[in-house]
Amino acid sequence: MKRIISLLVCCFIAISTLTACGNNTLPAWADTDVLTQKAQTMIDSLNAFDYDGVAEIYNNPAVNASTFEASGEIIETYGTFESYGDVSFVADKTDDGIEFVRVIQTANYEKGKLTFMASFFKDGSVAVFRLAE
């Protein structure tokens, strides 16, 4: 059952990404190299199970190290990190109209792939960081 749900989530992400990328223009401030590096820094910290480090990068009082422990448990089941895979970008706005860019980064592990989504505002601050199986 867990695999079916994971497969459905991955399919939804893929379809959403493909749909969004077809009509999506990134804002002028979005440097994809910089955004990719920021996302990978967060992923690297999570791969090292440095939950405090991820929370520090996130820099939101509502988010602390324990927020990322469940993601760390998922990563443990996938084994050792091997490499980064495909990356894509989606521009969007919050409900109150603030623009952000979502980095969708796949990562290869010894037992499979995981997809990370890290969204950043123009000032470089993190809007969202999450993991999808």
Side-chain angles (χ1 to χ4, degrees), residues 101-116:
V101 173
R102 181 177 303 116
V103 179
I104 303 166
Q105 174 71 67
T106 60
N108 302 307
Y109 294 82
E110 66 182 328
K111 296 179 184 173
K113 293 182 180 190
L114 292 172
T115 302
F116 294 86

Side-chain angles (χ1 to χ4, degrees), residues 16-27 30 88-93 99-104:
S16 297
T17 301
L18 290 174
T19 302
C21 290
N23 296 332
N24 199 348
T25 302
L26 296 180
S88 59
F89 307 90
V90 178
D92 205 347
K93 291 183 180 180
E99 197 170 44
F100 65 89
V101 173
R102 181 177 303 116
V103 179
I104 303 166

Side-chain angles (χ1 to χ4, degrees), residues 23-133:
N23 296 332
N24 199 348
T25 302
L26 296 180
W29 58 263
D31 181 332
T32 56
D33 291 336
V34 170
L35 294 174
T36 300
Q37 183 58 48
K38 286 182 178 195
Q40 289 179 356
T41 297
M42 293 184 80
I43 297 166
D44 291 344
S45 294
L46 193 55
N47 283 333
F49 308 107
D50 179 9
Y51 308 127
D52 288 319
V54 179
E56 185 178 319
I57 295 167
Y58 206 110
N59 195 24
N60 180 329
V63 175
N64 60 36
S66 65
T67 306
F68 304 104
E69 289 174 1
S71 295
E73 291 172 8
I74 292 169
I75 289 172
E76 279 185 303
T77 66
Y78 278 77
T80 306
F81 171 79
E82 294 179 343
S83 64
Y84 285 109
D86 295 334
V87 64
S88 59
F89 307 90
V90 178
D92 205 347
K93 291 183 180 180
T94 62
D95 291 339
D96 54 350
I98 301 171
E99 197 170 44
F100 65 89
V101 173
R102 181 177 303 116
V103 179
I104 303 166
Q105 174 71 67
T106 60
N108 302 307
Y109 294 82
E110 66 182 328
K111 296 179 184 173
K113 293 182 180 190
L114 292 172
T115 302
F116 294 86
M117 289 169 277
S119 300
F120 300 96
F121 293 114
K122 183 179 182 178
D123 67 359
S125 63
V126 180
V128 173
F129 179 61
R130 66 178 170 213
L131 162 67
E133 285 187 83

